[in-house]
Every structure is written in structure tokens, then in C-alpha cells.
Amino acid sequence: MAITEIGSTVWKGVVGLPRRVLGSRNDRLLKSYQRLVGPIGALEPQLRGDYDERFAKRRDEANIDQLPEEERPAALQRIR
């Protein structure tokens, strides 16, 4: 290995040291986002409420299952 190659390797190691110690910007962003996931996930049941039950009731009242297959997606969108 030539001296210039050794110097280049050392320089890359020195330059990359902060990233290894502190993490890349992407790592830091993911870490900050991960802190938000728990509280947001805890709010989901409160926000969702009884939406699923109400939607199932409207779907049953609209007789979606009796519609032709190609009309079902549009009908589901209308009752949401």
C-alpha cells in the first residue's frame, strides 16, 4: 500500500468519525420521528372512535354486497 493510499484511508476515517459517533442525518431524523410514533399511536383509538361500526352499519344499509362487483368500489366511496 502506497503512502498516499494510507493517508487517504486515514483522512476518510477522520472525516467519517463524526458520522459514526453522532449518526448520519437520516439516522437522527428517524430517531426524532420514532419519538413521535408512540404518542400518535396512542391517540388513534380516540380519533377513530366508533367509525368502523358506523361504516359497517351504513354498508349493510346500502346493500353493497348485492351490487355488481364493478360498482362496489364507487358505492363504498359514496357512503364514507
Side-chain angles (χ1 to χ4, degrees), residues 13-72:
V14 170
V15 170
L17 184 64
R19 183 177 37 181
R20 285 194 303 265
V21 172
L22 302 173
S24 67
R25 181 173 193 277
N26 189 42
D27 293 336
R28 293 189 306 273
L29 286 172
L30 287 174
K31 189 175 182 179
S32 69
Y33 295 153
Q34 193 63 36
R35 288 184 214 141
L36 299 173
V37 169
I40 290 172
L43 290 174
E44 183 180 3
Q46 179 184 356
L47 294 174
R48 186 176 272 304
D50 63 342
Y51 175 79
D52 292 335
E53 292 83 18
R54 289 182 291 138
F55 179 72
K57 184 179 176 184
R58 287 195 309 261
R59 187 187 66 222
D60 293 340
E61 290 171 355
N63 296 321
I64 299 293
D65 297 332
Q66 296 174 359
L67 291 175
E69 187 70 32
E70 60 274 358
E71 293 179 20
R72 288 180 189 172

Side-chain angles (χ1 to χ4, degrees), residues 5-20:
E5 291 175 16
I6 293 173
S8 175
T9 303
V10 169
W11 179 251
K12 286 179 185 176
V14 170
V15 170
L17 184 64
R19 183 177 37 181
R20 285 194 303 265

